[in-house]
């Protein structure tokens, strides 16, 4: 039989989004050797510890973390929900990193094993500026396990969304990220234009009046260059924190 966690998470159709981290249980696998069969063993359930924070945050770690939780669908009817992990997206790196999702039935048998981000299931929703997302309903399952690892500080929000609210939030995040990419692209091309030697005599005349330099076609104030590089760096940093440039 499935060993129930400390608290079931009630799926409410009237709640737009529900942070779930404070309702889950976790186990730290410092050796990273445990597999799903080990975790599903009847005697293993006592090792899980209740989590009481609103976000999973284990800091810089080389451990794998197993997360388990139950969903109570009795108050939701037949409506679908979206289960989101992130942002940021914990993507698989060269050595480690990623999220494996397991669905278990009432008897403790493994029903589904899925790697988030693989996009091999029609239920997984592709996002640009959000985390990994899966469309779920009562038929999908009630008992869940996650195995998460990260190459950087391990931080993972888990949220249960109403479908339309998630789509609107994801669209807003995607638009913001597209704007950041657009600004970055505009900065890159503008700076390439400034650095590219121009043979326009008008530009040459203006630049020579500012600061005459022999055999020079274009003068660029060093302060402006520094400001432009800092601006580009800020935009790149904002995009990198999102992790969407690694995997959509």
């Amino acid at each position: 039989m499935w060993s129930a966690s400390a608290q079931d998470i009630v799926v409410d159709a009237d709640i737009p989004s529900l942070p779930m981290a404070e309702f889950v249980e976790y186990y730290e696998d410092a050796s990273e050797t445990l597999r799903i069969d080990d975790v599903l063993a009847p005697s293993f359930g006592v090792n899980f510890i209740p989590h009481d924070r609103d976000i999973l945050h284990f800091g810089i770690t080389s451990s794998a973390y197993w997360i388990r939780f139950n969903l109570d669908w009795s108050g939701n009817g037949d409506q679908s929900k979206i289960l989101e992990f992130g942002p940021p997206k914990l993507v698989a790196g060269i050595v480690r990193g990623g999220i494996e999702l397991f669905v278990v039935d009432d008897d403790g048998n493994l029903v589904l094993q899925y790697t988030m981000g693989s996009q091999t299931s029609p239920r997984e929703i592709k996002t640009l500026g959000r985390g990994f997302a899966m469309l779920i309903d009562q038929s999908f399952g009630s008992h869940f396990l996650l195995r998460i690892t990260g190459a950087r500080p391990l931080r993972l929000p888990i949220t249960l969304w109403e479908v339309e609210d998630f789509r609107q939030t994801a669209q807003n995040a995607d638009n913001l990220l597209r704007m950041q990419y657009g600004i970055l692209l505009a900065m890159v091309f503008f700076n390439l234009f400034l650095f590219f030697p121009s043979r326009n005599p008008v530009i040459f005349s203006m630049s020579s009046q500012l600061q005459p330099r022999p055999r020079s076609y274009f003068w660029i104030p060093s302060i402006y260059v520094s400001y432009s590089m800092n601006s580009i760096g800020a935009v790149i940093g904002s995009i990198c924190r999102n992790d969407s440039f690694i995997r959509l």
Side-chain angles (χ1 to χ4, degrees):
M1 295 289 292
W2 168 256
S3 179
S5 59
Q7 184 177 1
D8 286 352
I9 302 171
V10 178
V11 181
D12 191 334
D14 297 326
I15 298 180
S17 65
L18 175 66
M20 295 170 49
E22 60 183 312
F23 305 114
V24 308
E25 293 183 329
Y26 72 95
Y27 173 77
E28 180 182 3
D29 175 17
S31 65
E32 294 191 282
T33 58
L34 289 178
R35 295 295 175 257
I36 185 61
D37 291 338
D38 303 318
V39 178
L40 289 178
S43 59
F44 190 85
V46 296
N47 295 309
F48 280 90
I49 302 172
H51 188 269
D52 57 1
R53 299 174 61 186
D54 59 356
I55 186 173
L56 295 175
H57 200 324
F58 300 113
I60 299 176
T61 176
S62 58
S63 300
Y65 282 85
W66 290 86
I67 312 297
R68 74 173 183 178
F69 57 90
N70 294 331
L71 295 181
D72 179 0
W73 293 94
S74 59
N76 188 66
D78 298 328
Q79 294 188 34
S80 298
K81 289 283 188 175
I82 291 179
L83 184 59
E84 182 189 25
F85 308 108
K89 293 178 180 176
L90 293 182
V91 299
I94 298 175
V95 178
R96 63 197 308 276
I99 303 175
E100 292 180 81
L101 172 67
F102 305 91
V103 181
V104 182
D105 64 16
D106 293 335
D107 297 322
N109 300 315
L110 183 63
V111 176
L112 173 69
Q113 179 175 347
Y114 186 77
T115 301
M116 299 303 300
S118 62
Q119 295 292 330
T120 57
S121 169
R123 287 182 175 269
E124 185 171 12
I125 300 172
K126 195 170 186 178
T127 66
L128 181 64
R130 297 294 304 179
F132 294 125
M134 181 75 78
L135 182 67
I136 64 173
D137 51 31
Q138 187 170 2
S139 65
F140 186 74
S142 299
H143 312 301
F144 299 85
L145 281 162
L146 303 174
R147 183 182 185 272
I148 59 176
T149 57
R152 300 190 302 176
L154 205 162
R155 176 183 179 275
L156 184 69
I158 303 177
T159 309
L160 190 65
W161 287 87
E162 195 277 325
V163 175
E164 290 304 319
D165 284 88
F166 175 80
R167 288 176 177 169
Q168 184 61 49
T169 302
Q171 183 179 1
N172 293 339
D174 291 351
N175 290 339
L176 177 61
L177 193 61
R178 291 187 184 101
M179 183 177 66
Q180 290 174 332
Y181 276 117
I183 294 173
L184 175 61
L185 190 62
M187 286 181 174
V188 169
F189 277 106
F190 185 62
N191 280 275
L192 285 176
F193 168 76
L194 290 179
F195 278 105
F196 189 77
S198 173
R199 297 182 181 274
N200 189 321
V202 176
I203 298 178
F204 172 76
S205 175
M206 293 174 60
S207 64
S208 62
Q209 291 175 12
L210 291 171
Q211 182 175 339
R213 291 189 178 184
R215 309 177 67 86
S216 173
Y217 295 103
F218 207 100
W219 174 74
I220 307 168
S222 59
I223 296 178
Y224 171 77
V225 174
S226 176
Y227 173 78
S228 299
M229 293 301 102
N230 289 337
S231 299
I232 293 176
V235 176
I236 293 176
S238 177
I239 294 173
C240 289
R241 284 195 299 271
N242 191 280
D243 274 349
S244 296
F245 75 106
I246 299 176
R247 177 169 297 180
L248 300 182

